[in-house]
């Protein structure tokens, strides 16, 4: 499957591999699960599809957020892995991760916030067709 996606979308694979911490396998998984970035009008839609945004519920004066129940678990896993890798190898992502920890977030919450930023970056890379610099 990895070879097939490499043949079908070699440009996208190379674009995602321009990010530190992203190898060909992870980029292929993301491309396969996204299924075409043109499906999403914004990076928020793609992040929502991957389960990285909270679901807001309200009824009358009661309002609360919780984890989404319907999302693509493989894509969420890929973005969480990417967030961890980028926090390890990219100084900007590492600084963002530690800033979230300093704000009082738990480790998983900081990792999810970092993953959300990476999802935004990937959406931008794929829609613009430019490598990450």
């Amino acid at each position: 499957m990895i070879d097939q996606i490499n043949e079908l979308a070699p440009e996208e694979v190379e674009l995602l591999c321009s990010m530190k911490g992203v190898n060909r396998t992870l980029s292929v998984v993301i491309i396969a699960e996204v299924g075409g970035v043109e499906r999403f009008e914004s990076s928020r839609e793609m992040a929502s599809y991957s389960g990285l945004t909270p679901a807001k519920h309200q009824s009358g004066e009661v309002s609360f957020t919780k984890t989404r129940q319907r999302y693509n678990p493989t894509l969420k896993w890929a973005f969480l892995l990417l967030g961890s890798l980028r926090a390890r190898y990219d100084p900007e992502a590492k600084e963002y991760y530690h800033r979230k920890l300093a704000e009082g977030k738990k480790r998983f919450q900081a990792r999810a916030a970092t993953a959300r930023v990476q999802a935004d970056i990937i959406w931008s890379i794929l829609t613009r067709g430019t490598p990450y610099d």
Side-chain angles (χ1 to χ4, degrees), residues 55-66:
K56 186 173 183 177
H57 297 278
Q58 56 187 119
S59 175
E61 295 180 13
V62 177
S63 178
F64 62 94
T65 59
K66 67 177 193 172

Side-chain angles (χ1 to χ4, degrees), residues 14-20 86 90-92 121-122 124-125 128-133:
E14 291 303 320
L15 287 173
L16 294 186
C17 286
S18 67
M19 296 175 70
K20 279 185 182 177
R86 299 272 299 153
D90 182 53
E92 291 176 18
I121 292 170
I122 286 183
S124 180
I125 288 172
R128 293 182 181 153
T130 57
Y132 183 78
D133 290 325

Side-chain angles (χ1 to χ4, degrees), residues 45-79:
E45 279 188 22
M46 190 173 81
S48 177
Y49 174 73
S50 62
L52 295 174
T53 59
K56 186 173 183 177
H57 297 278
Q58 56 187 119
S59 175
E61 295 180 13
V62 177
S63 178
F64 62 94
T65 59
K66 67 177 193 172
T67 306
R68 291 194 178 277
Q69 299 299 314
R70 293 183 179 178
Y71 61 90
N72 184 322
T74 305
L75 192 56
K76 183 174 184 176
W77 166 83
F79 282 137

